[in-house]
Amino acid sequence: MKVVLEHITKRFIDRNNKNKTELVAVSDMCLDIPDGKLIGLLGPSGCGKSTTLNMICGLEKPSSGKIFFGDDDVTDLPPENRGVGMVFQSYALYPHLTVRQNITFPLENLKGDKKLTKQEMNDRALGAAKLVQLDGYMERKPSELSGGQQQRVAIARALVKMPKVLLLDEPLSNLDARLRLQTREELRRIQKETGITTIFVTHDQEEAMSISDLIVVMKKAEVQQVGIPQDVYDDPKNLFVAQFLGTPPINVFAGEIREEKVYLGEDCILDAPGIEDKEVHVGIRPEGFIVDENGPLHCKIRVVEVMGRDTSIVSTHPVAETETIRSIIDSEDRPAATSGTVTFSLRKSKVLLFDMETEERIYPC
Ligand code: ATP
């Protein structure tokens, strides 16, 4: 099912403000979510991700704009008539019910021609449990399951009604690191197997990048960029997106263009043909550094961290905008010294320039 958001805005009354002013949680959002894809809605806390999801689900009504499922305008439909399945950060399972009963619960109250027999309900529950690989746990209570298994029950419960759209709000946040990794792969598998259009909200960029077909990066109620994760990483529209994606994050310097060359302090690191003289933010991805004794960039080593295959060189530079610079290089190429100066040449494709004021990317254009 294709989902289209057409100029969606959501305003709330800000009860924190004694004048009860309005707060814009989502501003003029336009989004085309293709059928059968997994979309990661990504951004820092408070940027409007959950509000967007709640509007798609029908729990919140947009202040303006329209929402379409396929050709149908669902803006005014209540959640139960939209055909959506929802999974929240807290699994919200009934503790006194078994896995089977938890999964069949949403089927119990179906009415009219949708009403199912006990047998049909059990078959549907078993089908959903198989999808999340919990068919061997049907008679257990939630307290007898791990956090990851409980979240999979919640996913099965959302799937049992065969939703047209599956919505997940920070579904992995309550899991420890290992389970999180496992469950996100599970989520991807389930989504591929069912082909259900899935929108999931996270503030964890790595999580979104690793399993999404498309990511939507939001900041302060506004969509910044939509695209295939690798494309957005390689081609960020602005400094915010560049900084939000990638671990370790992109290194940012206060640079200057002089006579079509990029300077970091006195280090001339790159040609920038066609760009006028001005100050710029220079972003260099951690993987863009090459240890090279004849390289143009001179940094002071703070620490060299060997991590097996890779080595992380933590260094400083007088015009870096952050306290330290993190470069990731192949361990075989690590510098002999662990203190003093390290010189780098740079991979051109990993260097990005941003306007000092607007923070829009200006190079590569
Ligand atoms: P988080 O990752 O912390 O959950 P989020 O990106 O999901 O954040 P939202 O929960 O959508 O952000 O909130 C967006 C903004 O709208 C925030 O400033 C929040 O305080 C505000 N907000 C959300 N719901 C309401 C509400 N019911 N009434 C008033 N303000 C609200």
Side-chain angles (χ1 to χ4, degrees), residues 12-13 23 25 43-52 60 170 201 203:
F12 288 114
I13 300 294
L23 168 162
S45 182
C47 70
K49 306 178 296 289
S50 298
T51 304
T52 303
E60 295 282 2
E170 300 267 7
V201 156
H203 59 267

Side-chain angles (χ1 to χ4, degrees), residues 10-16 23-26 42-54 60 89 169-170 201-203 218 221:
K10 179 68 187 177
R11 295 184 206 91
F12 288 114
I13 300 294
D14 186 354
R15 291 184 214 287
N16 251 346
L23 168 162
V24 180
V26 176
L42 181 65
S45 182
C47 70
K49 306 178 296 289
S50 298
T51 304
T52 303
L53 208 67
N54 289 342
E60 295 282 2
Q89 176 179 345
D169 196 349
E170 300 267 7
V201 156
T202 176
H203 59 267
M218 291 182 75

Side-chain angles (χ1 to χ4, degrees), residues 294-324:
N294 300 314
L297 180 64
H298 298 75
C299 298
K300 207 162 177 295
I301 298 178
R302 199 170 265 189
V303 60
V304 176
E305 297 168 351
V306 183
M307 303 178 296
R309 193 191 58 189
D310 296 326
T311 290
S312 162
I313 305 174
V314 183
S315 61
T316 58
H317 187 278
V319 300
E321 292 182 13
T322 45
E323 198 189 329
T324 56

Side-chain angles (χ1 to χ4, degrees), residues 20-67:
K20 304 267 187 290
T21 50
E22 278 192 340
L23 168 162
V24 180
V26 176
S27 173
D28 196 29
M29 184 171 189
C30 292
L31 195 60
D32 266 34
I33 301 172
D35 181 27
K37 298 289 184 200
L38 177 62
I39 307 297
L41 208 53
L42 181 65
S45 182
C47 70
K49 306 178 296 289
S50 298
T51 304
T52 303
L53 208 67
N54 289 342
M55 288 191 286
I56 298 173
C57 166
L59 290 173
E60 295 282 2
K61 197 171 161 2
S63 310
S64 60
K66 289 199 172 302
I67 301 174

Side-chain angles (χ1 to χ4, degrees), residues 98-360:
T98 62
V99 168
R100 180 192 309 281
Q101 290 164 330
N102 265 289
I103 299 176
T104 45
F105 193 82
L107 303 176
E108 303 276 356
N109 296 321
L110 293 179
K111 303 238 159 53
D113 55 356
K114 289 194 179 140
K115 196 168 167 51
L116 300 176
T117 64
K118 198 109 205 124
Q119 185 60 45
E120 284 168 331
M121 280 195 262
N122 273 334
D123 290 348
R124 286 265 284 269
L126 190 62
K130 275 189 177 149
L131 257 176
V132 300
Q133 296 181 340
L134 282 179
D135 41 318
Y137 297 77
M138 297 300 264
E139 304 316 322
R140 287 205 194 175
K141 296 271 176 66
S143 60
E144 296 163 337
L145 300 174
S146 73
Q149 289 167 334
Q150 289 184 45
Q151 190 54 302
R152 275 149 58 197
V153 177
I155 295 171
R157 189 180 51 184
L159 290 173
V160 78
K161 277 174 87 177
M162 301 183 183
K164 293 182 257 183
V165 181
L166 182 63
L167 304 167
L168 305 138
D169 196 349
E170 300 267 7
L172 310 178
S173 300
N174 282 358
L175 307 178
D176 67 35
R178 199 175 53 84
L179 260 182
R180 219 180 148 117
L181 207 70
Q182 248 176 30
T183 314
R184 85 180 186 204
E185 285 158 13
E186 276 288 284
L187 203 62
R188 185 54 172 156
R189 178 190 60 75
I190 294 163
Q191 194 276 331
K192 279 208 157 140
E193 261 180 67
T194 57
I196 297 176
T197 308
T198 301
I199 306 164
F200 95 107
V201 156
T202 176
H203 59 267
D204 180 335
Q205 56 89 25
E206 197 188 324
E207 194 167 284
M209 299 259 298
S210 61
I211 62 169
S212 306
D213 294 307
L214 288 176
I215 53 170
V216 178
V217 185
M218 291 182 75
K219 175 193 172 191
K220 291 188 185 156
E222 293 190 356
V223 172
Q224 302 292 303
Q225 194 165 353
V226 182
I228 295 165
Q230 190 67 46
D231 291 354
V232 180
Y233 179 82
D234 290 337
D235 255 343
K237 266 181 71 179
N238 57 36
L239 186 59
F240 173 83
V241 175
Q243 287 180 302
F244 200 75
L245 300 183
T247 21
I250 194 165
N251 300 287
V252 185
F253 301 78
E256 207 181 332
I257 310 284
R258 293 201 299 258
E259 295 173 351
E260 302 194 330
K261 291 189 187 308
V262 182
Y263 284 86
L264 299 184
E266 287 316 306
D267 296 338
C268 174
I269 60 154
L270 193 73
D271 288 339
I275 303 184
E276 63 190 33
D277 287 6
K278 60 175 165 182
E279 293 183 346
V280 288
H281 296 286
V282 179
I284 308 176
R285 291 277 181 207
E287 65 276 23
F289 296 80
I290 303 163
V291 175
D292 175 357
E293 59 185 23
N294 300 314
L297 180 64
H298 298 75
C299 298
K300 207 162 177 295
I301 298 178
R302 199 170 265 189
V303 60
V304 176
E305 297 168 351
V306 183
M307 303 178 296
R309 193 191 58 189
D310 296 326
T311 290
S312 162
I313 305 174
V314 183
S315 61
T316 58
H317 187 278
V319 300
E321 292 182 13
T322 45
E323 198 189 329
T324 56
I325 303 154
R326 271 192 182 267
S327 45
I328 304 288
I329 55 158
D330 198 297
S331 284
E332 286 179 8
D333 304 328
R334 69 176 184 268
T338 52
S339 62
T341 300
V342 58
T343 47
F344 295 109
S345 56
L346 301 168
R347 291 190 173 85
K348 209 175 154 194
S349 63
K350 299 292 175 184
V351 182
L352 307 165
L353 307 186
F354 302 90
D355 186 273
M356 204 44 132
E357 258 80 63
T358 64
E359 301 191 347
E360 294 292 309

